[in-house]
Amino acid sequence: MPWSGAMALPSASELTVRSPALLRAWTVESKRPCRLLRTDRWQLREYKLGRRAEICLELLQKEENLGPQDMLLRTQMRIPGERAYSLAVDLVWDTARGWTAGSLRQRVADFYSLPVEKIEIAKYFPEKFEWLPVSSWNQQIAKKKKKKKQDNLQGAPYYLRDGDTIGVKNLLVDDDDDFSTVRDDIGKENQKQLALGKKKSREALRARSSDTVSSAEMPTQFRGPEASLSIHVGSFR
């Protein structure tokens, strides 16, 4: 099926869409958009999605044609004085010049019309409820005193991909180092309680297993009836 055939998918049949360029299609993993199916030149089978792949369609307000070098990110501006963010805004980052932290910081600064030295950005890891600041490679070297390596946000520790959320902080009005939110606190506490509950369940299971093994290794011994004893005294005369 050609890529424009996404319009014929059951989910799209109920939409009134005049062009495939008004739709984004994502694969779905763990109930979250994962991989962006970006090109109109490929057929769906060329993505090797598998037989049970889930695809969600995102309706756009204007036509979009992302190239192979374009990275689609969700950016959220930090609200000064609050542990919260404004609504997410899509940002397209051209990675043709490299997947560097400096390049991304410059793109975000231009997008928000701010000096690059007056912003801080961080990638959000929703599964951990954590924000990882994205500093320039020179800043990382100065802090860690390591030899220069390749600066590539596709690799560790960022693993940047389409659809990732990037928090943006305007240092002109907000100099707090914290990127987290109240929702993150709640999420981490829930994860902590869940892990604690699982740990207690494992400990209880091990205790029951230990009791069972002990009972099997030390079976109750029953004494049988006492045998009668006869003594015969012989004559040695």
Side-chain angles (χ1 to χ4, degrees), residues 24-28 33 35-36 54-56 58 72 74 162-163:
R24 286 190 193 128
W26 301 82
T27 60
V28 179
R35 181 184 176 191
L36 181 61
E54 295 183 40
I55 297 177
C56 67
E58 180 183 0
L72 177 67
R74 317 281 195 184
D162 289 310

Side-chain angles (χ1 to χ4, degrees), residues 40-105:
D40 191 38
R41 295 188 298 271
W42 284 20
Q43 295 186 350
L44 287 180
R45 65 172 177 267
E46 296 181 60
Y47 285 98
K48 299 179 181 180
L49 300 178
R51 299 178 65 89
R52 296 186 178 182
E54 295 183 40
I55 297 177
C56 67
L57 300 178
E58 180 183 0
L59 185 61
L60 305 176
Q61 297 298 320
K62 61 180 181 180
E63 293 189 358
E64 176 181 83
N65 185 19
L66 299 178
Q69 299 295 330
D70 293 328
M71 168 69 67
L72 177 67
L73 301 172
R74 317 281 195 184
T75 60
Q76 291 184 276
M77 178 64 73
R78 179 87 168 183
I79 301 175
E82 300 182 27
R83 297 184 65 206
Y85 291 86
S86 60
L87 295 177
V89 180
D90 290 347
L91 177 147
V92 177
W93 172 36
D94 183 357
T95 64
R97 296 183 179 180
W99 292 76
T100 67
S103 175
L104 177 58
R105 286 168 59 86

Side-chain angles (χ1 to χ4, degrees), residues 35 47-48 84 113-114 129 131 146 148 172 214 224 226:
R35 181 184 176 191
Y47 285 98
K48 299 179 181 180
S113 300
L114 291 169
F129 299 97
W131 298 81
K146 292 183 178 181
K148 186 175 180 180
L172 295 173
S214 298
E226 294 183 359

Side-chain angles (χ1 to χ4, degrees), residues 120 133 135-146:
E120 289 293 345
S135 58
S136 66
W137 193 249
N138 290 335
Q139 290 173 316
Q140 294 180 23
I141 295 301
K143 292 178 181 179
K144 300 181 180 180
K145 296 182 180 181
K146 292 183 178 181

Side-chain angles (χ1 to χ4, degrees), residues 125-174:
F125 290 86
E127 67 281 358
K128 298 180 180 179
F129 299 97
E130 293 181 353
W131 298 81
L132 180 60
V134 181
S135 58
S136 66
W137 193 249
N138 290 335
Q139 290 173 316
Q140 294 180 23
I141 295 301
K143 292 178 181 179
K144 300 181 180 180
K145 296 182 180 181
K146 292 183 178 181
K147 295 181 180 180
K148 186 175 180 180
K149 298 179 181 179
Q150 185 181 9
D151 181 3
N152 190 330
L153 297 182
Q154 286 182 298
Y158 300 104
Y159 300 106
L160 201 64
R161 66 183 185 185
D162 289 310
D164 279 345
T165 296
I166 300 295
V168 185
K169 191 177 297 185
N170 181 359
L171 299 182
L172 295 173
V173 294
D174 185 4

